[in-house]
């Protein structure tokens, strides 16, 4: 179940390390051109790392978007799962521990 998430994550990291640049790799994954690249970069910087940026509103929005994307994906990927099973799976994917690890690597 976790393979899809881990696989996508490592493809993303690989593309970044191949010097495509952060927003180029992100655009490739999202499938569209990002107009406000500064907002996307800001959204990936946690407030504990930056002294000049307060992006809590972007963090809130990003958390919601991430949950929506993961929900949509697992809903389609696992059509026989009940609501409770989908909720448990989504919470394991978007839990703070998992996201902190990914954030540190990014």
């Amino acid at each position: 179940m976790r393979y899809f998430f881990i696989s996508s994550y490592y493809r993303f990291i690989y593309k970044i390390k191949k010097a495509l640049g952060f927003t180029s790799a992100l655009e490739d994954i999202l499938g569209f051109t990002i107009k406000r690249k500064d907002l996307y970069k800001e959204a990936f910087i946690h407030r504990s790392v930056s002294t000049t940026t307060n992006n809590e509103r972007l963090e809130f929005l990003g958390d919601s978007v991430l949950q929506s994307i993961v929900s949509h994906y697992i809903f389609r990927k696992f059509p026989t799962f009940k609501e409770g099973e989908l909720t448990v799976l989504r919470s394991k994917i978007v839990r703070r521990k998992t996201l902190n690890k990914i954030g540190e690597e990014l």
Side-chain angles (χ1 to χ4, degrees):
M1 285 188 260
R2 294 182 190 174
Y3 176 74
F4 73 92
F5 179 69
I6 294 168
S7 175
S8 296
Y9 166 68
Y10 281 107
R11 282 195 309 269
F12 179 68
I13 294 298
Y14 177 75
K15 288 178 181 180
I16 289 174
K17 289 183 178 180
K18 289 285 286 182
L20 284 176
F22 175 78
T23 53
S24 296
L26 194 56
E27 286 173 341
D28 188 46
I29 289 170
L30 296 174
F32 61 86
T33 302
I34 299 171
K35 292 181 183 178
R36 294 284 314 269
K37 294 178 182 354
D38 58 319
L39 287 179
Y40 280 80
K41 286 181 182 179
E42 183 180 330
F44 273 83
I45 299 172
H46 192 270
R47 65 182 171 164
S48 65
V49 178
S50 175
T51 57
T52 59
T53 303
N54 183 347
N55 62 355
E56 291 178 9
R57 290 176 50 85
L58 288 173
E59 186 178 338
F60 167 79
L61 182 60
D63 289 347
S64 300
V65 170
L66 179 61
Q67 283 195 20
S68 179
I69 291 168
V70 170
S71 297
H72 181 261
Y73 183 85
I74 64 175
F75 181 82
R76 296 186 62 158
K77 180 78 173 172
F78 305 103
T80 61
F81 278 28
K82 296 179 180 172
E83 183 269 340
E85 295 169 310
L86 293 170
T87 300
V88 168
L89 179 58
R90 181 187 61 203
S91 69
K92 286 181 180 180
I93 294 170
V94 299
R95 68 184 181 165
R96 174 128 342 253
K97 184 178 178 181
T98 303
L99 297 178
N100 284 346
K101 183 178 178 183
I102 293 169
E104 287 172 5
E105 291 182 27
L106 290 175

